[in-house]
């Protein structure tokens, strides 16, 4: 570079008649020329001491920091590879894969970097398309325009229009719209496409219905004919009403016709409206649905003997908020459907009741609502016929409702003539069909009767199974007779494998083991609690074990062959309800009046609960009932303010649902309970002896 610059300077300073590589000059010949003096004067003026200094030989000056490279090093080529990858694009993005339960690296990364983008619609004025537009714009038709060189008359017509370079429209065609604006885009490209939802956030898809039809002339004609016939029938009905009840005004007729048409329209779109409502709720509660399907408390890995409960949906109905949740029941046939009974446990504040059926697919509003004249104390859904459920009321009557009938009144209802109870019915329970194939259920009441109700020929027929008596309390009757005092039944449960065997809890704190074959005496009586027994339930896996809870703050587990309880748990508050887990023989849950939920797993800890959680939002709220879902790992809890809260169990509370544990079968659950019984049976047998 230095060499080229120096040469350039030499070229500029050297005269035109002197060559670049000239090293010596002929001084005598130059001295004879007339230009010698002028050159000497110019050289002196430029600063040279000697006029001949500028003609000295060339010298190359080497920089001090220049490298000495060999010939091979000088010929070596250094290549630089250019790629289309974006240097700012990240290359180590990872995402969590629910399928593989681990983080996976994303192989494809967007390498596109857009620096500038502009969509234009301009045309060059000398192009054919632009000339066509100019001709069209100035009023010359397509038939008058020809290509250049083909017809000279067209060019003459164009020239007659004036100068085209300014391209300014004439006032006469100012409002004329061009046929082709060159900014056309399809309507589909103008719509905003929502991003697709990931598979991990989707729950059960909403139901779909495919509809297809052809619109032929005869079908349209038939539709018009049906419409005319329906209008004529409406007119005939109106004329009959006018003949019997007098004439009506024309305005009233129009209103009645409008109401009938409107009701028909509502009935037609009822199913579609319900589907849309569920879809809206599914989007509204998308996070809760995702937790219901996929949430697992990762902190359970670091604590072996503790678990947690995650709140999910909260079910409530505006007209039932001031009523107490008196009963809960999952539908055995439909896993997402739950029935809730509303009433009151306060004897001084009794009024109307209500039965609400909720679905997990629509937590904002009940699927079915059945208002009742008396408060609902208990209910139960049939195991095989999911549309039937029986209800026990505060006034002592029992009823059977049919969801398929779509009527607010019960299909069957007991009366004083048909043997209804005289006190509140605390529990009802469906049983297997009798020998004649008739539906039947049992009820227990505070009047001391356990009654079997059989549905025969659209009527309820009752049979007293047993009357609860207090053997240690007698009173003197007239003429020296002895009158026995009836006990007050509060809860009962039938054995799953032994059909005739059942347990009955009383307000006196006793539990009676009874049989359908003996209606006058008990098989065994257990002095279980000091206060009223609120719940008695057999273990779903072990045939000898049952559990009971009471208002005396205790939960007790019994072996029906022993008189003393095997386990006793003090919860420091009145226990409203207790329930066995459907997946484990050693897991049970209870709710207290202080607003806490307690979950025990006897195989992990026999003395302390694995979970004790406060679930109410307002103080002085009492929890009344609890139920496990038969399939999903969740529980529902009712309180005295009319709310039903659903909670999901963490993995530590449902270890029995692990695939390895399930593969062992139900015999494994029986073995777990037998292992516990072997530790406590010997002391209990010694105490009984």
């Amino acid at each position: 570079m230095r060499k080229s610059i120096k040469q350039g300077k030499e070229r500029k300073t050297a005269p035109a008649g002197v060559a670049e590589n000239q090293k010596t000059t002929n001084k005598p010949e130059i001295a004879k020329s007339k230009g010698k003096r002028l050159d000497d004067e110019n050289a002196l003026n430029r600063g040279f001491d000697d006029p001949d200094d500028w003609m000295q030989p060339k010298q190359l000056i080497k920089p001090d920091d220049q490298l000495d490279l060999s010939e091979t090093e000088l010929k070596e080529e250094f290549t630089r590879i250019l790629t289309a990858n974006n240097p700012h694009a990240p290359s180590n993005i990872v995402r969590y894969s629910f399928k593989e339960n681990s983080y996976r690296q994303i192989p494809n990364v967007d390498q596109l970097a857009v620096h500038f983008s502009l969509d234009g619609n301009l045309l060059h004025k000398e192009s054919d398309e632009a000339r066509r537009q100019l001709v069209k714009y100035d009023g010359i038709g397509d038939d008058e325009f020809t290509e250049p060189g083909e017809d000279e008359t067209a060019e003459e017509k164009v020239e007659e229009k004036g100068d085209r370079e300014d391209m300014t429209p004439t006032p006469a065609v100012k409002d004329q719209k061009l046929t082709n604006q060159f900014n056309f885009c399809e309507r589909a490209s103008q719509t905003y496409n929502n991003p697709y939802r990931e598979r991990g956030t989707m729950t059960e898809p909403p139901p779909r219905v495919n509809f297809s039809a052809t619109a032929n002339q005869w079908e349209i004609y038939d539709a018009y004919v049906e419409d005319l016939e329906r209008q004529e029938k409406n007119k005939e009905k109106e004329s009959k009403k006018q003949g019997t009840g007098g004439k009506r005004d024309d305005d009233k007729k129009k209103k009645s016709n409008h109401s009938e048409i409107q009701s028909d329209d509502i009935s037609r779109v009822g199913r579609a409206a319900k589907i849309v409502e569920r879809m809206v709720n599914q989007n509204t509660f998308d996070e809760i649905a995702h937790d219901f399907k996929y949430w697992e408390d990762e902190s359970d890995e670091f604590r072996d003997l503790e678990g947690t409960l995650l709140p999910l949906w909260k079910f409530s109905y505006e007209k039932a908020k001031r009523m107490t949740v008196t009963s809960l029941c999952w539908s055995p046939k439909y896993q997402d459907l739950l029935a809730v009974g509303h009433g009151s446990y306060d004897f001084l504040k009794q009024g109307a009741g209500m039965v609400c059926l909720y679905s997990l697919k629509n937590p904002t509003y009940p699927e079915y609502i059945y208002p009742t004249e008396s408060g609902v104390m208990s209910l139960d859904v049939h195991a095989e016929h999911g549309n039937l459920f029986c209800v026990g009321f505060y006034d002592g009557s029992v009823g059977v409702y049919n969801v398929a009938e779509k009527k607010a009144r019960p299909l069957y209802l007991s009366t004083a003539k048909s043997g209804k109870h005289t006190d509140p019915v605390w529990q009802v329970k469906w049983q297997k069909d009798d020998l004649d194939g008739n539906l039947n259920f049992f009820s227990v009441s505070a009047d001391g009767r356990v009654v079997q109700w059989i549905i025969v020929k659209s009527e309820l027929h009752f049979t007293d199974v047993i009357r609860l008596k207090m053997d240690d309390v007698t009173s003197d009757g007239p003429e020296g007779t002895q009158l026995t005092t009836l006990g007050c039944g509060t809860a009962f449960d039938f054995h799953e494998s032994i059909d005739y065997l059942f347990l009955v809890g009383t307000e006196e704190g006793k539990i009676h083991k009874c049989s359908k074959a003996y209606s006058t005496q008990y098989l065994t009586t257990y002095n279980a609690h000091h206060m009223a027994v609120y719940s008695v339930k057999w273990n779903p896996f072990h045939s000898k074990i049952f559990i009971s809870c009471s208002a005396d703050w205790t939960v007790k587990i019994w072996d029906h062959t022993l008189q003393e309880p095997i386990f006793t748990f003090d919860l420091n508050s009145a226990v409203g309800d207790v329930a066995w887990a459907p997946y484990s023989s050693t897991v049970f849950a209870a709710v207290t009046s202080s607003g806490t939920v307690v979950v025990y797993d006897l195989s992990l800890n026999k003395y302390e609960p694995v979970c004790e959680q406060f679930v109410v939002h307002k103080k002085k709220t009492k929890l009344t009932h609890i139920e496990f879902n038969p399939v999903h790992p969740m529980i529902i809890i009712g309180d005295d303010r009319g709310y039903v809260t659903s909670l999901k169990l963490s993995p530590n509370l449902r270890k029995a649902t692990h695939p390895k544990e399930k593969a062992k079968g139900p015999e494994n659950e029986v073995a777990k309970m037998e292992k516990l019984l072997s530790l406590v049976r010997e002391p209990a047998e010694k105490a009984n002896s």
Side-chain angles (χ1 to χ4, degrees):
M1 182 62 71
R2 295 176 183 270
K3 181 179 178 181
S4 62
I5 294 173
K6 191 172 182 180
Q7 290 177 357
K9 289 181 179 180
E10 291 176 356
R11 293 191 188 97
K12 291 180 181 178
T13 57
V18 181
E20 293 182 358
N21 57 356
Q22 182 178 5
K23 296 183 179 180
T24 60
T25 59
N26 192 356
K27 293 183 179 180
E29 293 179 359
I30 297 174
K32 290 180 182 181
S33 63
K34 294 180 180 180
K36 176 70 167 57
R37 294 176 182 178
L38 296 174
D39 294 337
D40 294 342
E41 291 177 0
N42 293 333
L44 292 173
N45 292 333
R46 289 189 186 114
F48 295 103
D49 295 336
D50 189 358
D52 296 332
D53 286 345
W54 66 277
M55 300 179 63
Q56 294 297 324
K58 303 175 186 177
Q59 293 182 0
L60 298 176
I61 300 173
K62 181 178 180 181
D64 298 336
D65 56 349
Q66 184 173 350
L67 297 176
D68 293 332
L69 301 177
S70 61
E71 193 68 23
T72 57
E73 292 177 344
L74 290 174
K75 292 181 178 180
E76 185 179 358
E77 294 182 358
F78 293 93
T79 60
R80 183 173 293 179
I81 300 174
L82 298 179
T83 62
N85 294 337
N86 185 7
H88 300 288
S91 60
N92 56 352
I93 298 178
V94 295
R95 294 246 178 115
Y96 187 78
S97 175
F98 289 98
K99 182 178 180 181
E100 301 179 3
N101 294 329
S102 62
Y103 287 93
R104 296 293 181 186
Q105 185 173 359
I106 297 177
N108 298 326
V109 180
D110 189 8
Q111 303 290 345
L112 178 63
V114 179
H115 299 283
F116 181 76
S117 176
L118 178 64
D119 296 333
N121 54 359
L122 299 179
L123 295 174
H124 198 275
K125 64 180 182 179
E126 295 182 359
S127 63
D128 296 340
E129 190 68 25
R131 294 180 70 248
R132 287 193 183 92
Q133 283 199 19
L134 288 173
V135 174
K136 188 81 173 178
Y137 192 83
D138 290 339
I140 301 176
D142 292 338
D143 53 350
E144 298 177 358
F145 180 77
T146 58
E147 294 294 334
E150 294 180 0
D151 190 0
E152 296 180 356
T153 58
E155 294 180 358
E156 293 175 358
K157 291 180 181 179
V158 173
E159 291 176 357
E160 290 176 0
K161 294 295 180 180
D163 191 11
R164 296 292 189 258
E165 293 181 358
D166 54 355
M167 296 185 182
T168 55
T170 60
V173 291
K174 188 174 182 180
D175 297 334
Q176 183 178 0
K177 185 178 179 181
L178 296 179
T179 57
N180 190 357
Q181 297 292 327
F182 291 94
N183 57 358
F184 171 78
C185 60
E186 293 186 359
R187 183 178 298 176
S189 64
Q190 298 175 359
T191 59
Y192 177 74
N193 296 327
N194 293 321
Y196 289 102
R197 296 177 62 192
E198 294 182 358
R199 234 182 130 123
T201 62
M202 296 180 63
T203 57
E204 296 181 2
R208 299 179 180 178
V209 177
N210 295 328
F211 175 77
S212 61
T214 55
N216 298 328
Q217 292 183 356
W218 51 84
E219 290 188 358
I220 297 174
Y221 176 80
D222 293 340
Y224 276 111
V225 171
E226 291 178 359
D227 188 24
L228 291 174
E229 291 177 357
R230 186 173 67 254
Q231 292 180 3
E232 291 177 359
K233 290 181 180 179
N234 293 335
K235 290 180 180 179
E236 291 178 0
K237 291 181 181 179
E238 291 177 1
S239 61
K240 291 180 181 179
K241 290 181 181 179
Q242 289 179 358
T244 56
K247 295 182 179 180
R248 296 182 180 179
D249 297 332
D250 296 337
D251 296 337
K252 292 183 179 180
K253 291 180 180 180
K254 292 180 180 179
K255 290 181 180 179
S256 62
N257 291 334
H258 180 70
S259 62
E260 290 179 1
I261 296 172
Q262 187 176 8
S263 63
D264 292 340
D265 294 340
I266 292 174
S267 63
R268 290 176 182 176
V269 301
R271 178 177 175 80
K274 181 179 288 188
I275 295 173
V276 173
E277 182 184 14
R278 289 190 176 183
M279 294 173 65
V280 172
N281 287 325
Q282 186 176 355
N283 293 333
T284 304
F285 300 99
D286 180 63
E287 295 181 358
I288 300 179
H290 190 273
D291 291 339
F292 164 74
K293 194 74 174 178
Y294 301 106
W295 176 81
E296 300 292 345
D297 195 352
E298 297 179 356
S299 60
D300 279 11
E301 298 178 1
F302 307 100
R303 48 188 181 189
D304 295 334
L305 302 179
E306 292 182 1
T308 56
L309 297 173
L310 177 67
L312 297 176
W313 298 282
K314 199 169 187 179
F315 303 92
S316 63
Y317 181 51
E318 188 67 27
K319 296 182 180 179
K321 282 187 177 180
R322 297 183 180 180
M323 301 180 185
T324 303
V325 176
T326 56
S327 56
L328 290 174
C329 183
W330 287 99
S331 174
K333 189 174 182 179
Y334 304 101
Q335 302 168 1
D336 64 319
L337 190 66
L338 63 137
V340 182
H342 295 276
S344 177
Y345 286 135
D346 191 351
F347 299 134
L348 300 178
K349 297 180 181 179
Q350 289 296 327
M354 191 173 295
V355 177
C356 297
L357 274 70
Y358 295 93
S359 174
L360 299 181
K361 300 175 183 176
N362 184 11
T364 58
Y365 199 79
E367 294 290 321
Y368 302 96
I369 302 171
Y370 297 94
T372 59
E373 297 179 358
S374 181
V376 177
M377 294 289 105
S378 58
L379 61 85
D380 187 33
V381 182
H382 200 280
E384 297 179 359
H385 306 282
N387 58 321
L388 296 178
F389 63 93
C390 56
V391 181
F393 299 99
Y394 180 81
D395 60 359
S397 59
V398 295
V400 178
Y401 286 82
N402 188 0
V403 178
E405 292 290 335
K406 297 182 180 181
K407 295 181 180 179
R409 301 187 65 182
L411 191 62
Y412 308 102
L413 184 65
S414 64
T415 60
K417 294 182 180 180
S418 58
K420 77 167 189 175
H421 295 280
T422 57
D423 283 322
V425 181
W426 292 117
Q427 191 168 356
V428 291
K429 196 79 173 177
W430 286 101
Q431 288 296 300
K432 297 179 181 179
D433 298 347
D434 59 6
L435 299 177
D436 296 331
N438 298 321
L439 299 175
N440 67 98
F441 64 94
F442 287 74
S443 64
V444 62
S445 172
D447 61 0
R449 297 167 56 202
V450 178
V451 182
Q452 180 184 14
W453 301 90
I454 303 175
I455 302 176
V456 180
K457 295 182 180 180
S458 301
E459 292 183 359
L460 282 177
H461 296 271
F462 76 98
T463 303
D464 288 345
V465 178
I466 195 171
R467 287 181 176 268
L468 305 178
K469 299 178 182 179
M470 299 176 61
D471 296 335
D472 54 349
V473 179
T474 58
S475 60
D476 296 333
E479 298 180 359
T481 59
Q482 296 291 327
L483 298 178
T484 58
T485 305
L486 295 177
C488 299
T490 56
F492 74 105
D493 192 23
F494 285 86
H495 201 281
E496 294 187 359
S497 58
I498 307 175
D499 294 337
Y500 61 86
L501 191 64
F502 64 95
L503 299 169
V504 181
T506 63
E507 286 188 2
E508 296 80 24
K510 295 182 179 181
I511 298 176
H512 303 295
K513 183 170 67 173
C514 307
S515 175
K516 297 179 183 178
Y518 302 97
S519 60
T520 58
Q521 59 183 357
Y522 313 126
L523 299 180
T524 307
T525 299
Y526 307 94
N527 295 320
H529 299 276
H530 303 291
M531 298 179 70
V533 178
Y534 285 158
S535 180
V536 176
K537 293 182 180 179
W538 289 98
N539 190 293
F541 294 94
H542 202 287
S543 60
K544 294 184 179 181
I545 305 300
F546 67 91
I547 194 171
S548 64
C549 68
S550 172
D552 63 356
W553 300 5
T554 61
V555 174
K556 297 183 179 181
I557 297 178
W558 303 78
D559 185 345
H560 77 89
T561 60
L562 303 177
Q563 289 292 325
E564 296 296 328
I566 300 174
F567 297 101
T568 302
F569 306 95
D570 191 352
L571 303 184
N572 299 322
S573 183
V575 185
D577 194 9
V578 67
W580 289 105
Y583 52 82
S584 177
S585 62
T586 59
V587 177
F588 68 91
V591 292
T592 64
S593 59
S594 61
T596 58
V597 180
V598 183
V599 181
Y600 280 85
D601 191 347
L602 301 180
S603 62
L604 299 179
N605 194 334
K606 298 186 291 295
Y607 306 103
E608 295 181 358
V610 293
C611 177
E612 185 174 0
Q613 192 166 325
F614 191 76
V615 297
V616 296
H617 300 286
K618 296 182 180 180
K619 295 182 179 180
K620 297 182 180 180
T621 301
K622 299 179 181 179
L623 301 182
T624 56
H625 287 275
I626 183 173
E627 281 291 333
F628 280 86
N629 188 285
V631 178
H632 303 296
M634 64 179 298
I635 57 175
I636 52 174
I637 299 170
D639 55 30
D640 61 350
R641 296 182 182 271
Y643 292 95
V644 178
T645 307
S646 60
L647 302 102
K648 185 174 182 180
L649 304 168
S650 64
N652 277 358
L653 302 181
R654 47 184 173 88
K655 289 186 176 181
T657 59
H658 195 273
K660 293 183 179 179
E661 293 291 332
K662 279 188 174 182
K664 297 179 181 179
E667 294 81 6
N668 181 42
E669 300 298 331
V670 178
K672 287 166 59 177
M673 181 58 73
E674 284 290 343
K675 185 178 180 180
L676 292 172
L677 295 179
S678 63
L679 301 176
V680 296
R681 265 179 179 168
E682 294 181 0
E685 290 176 354
K686 290 181 180 179
N688 291 332
S689 61

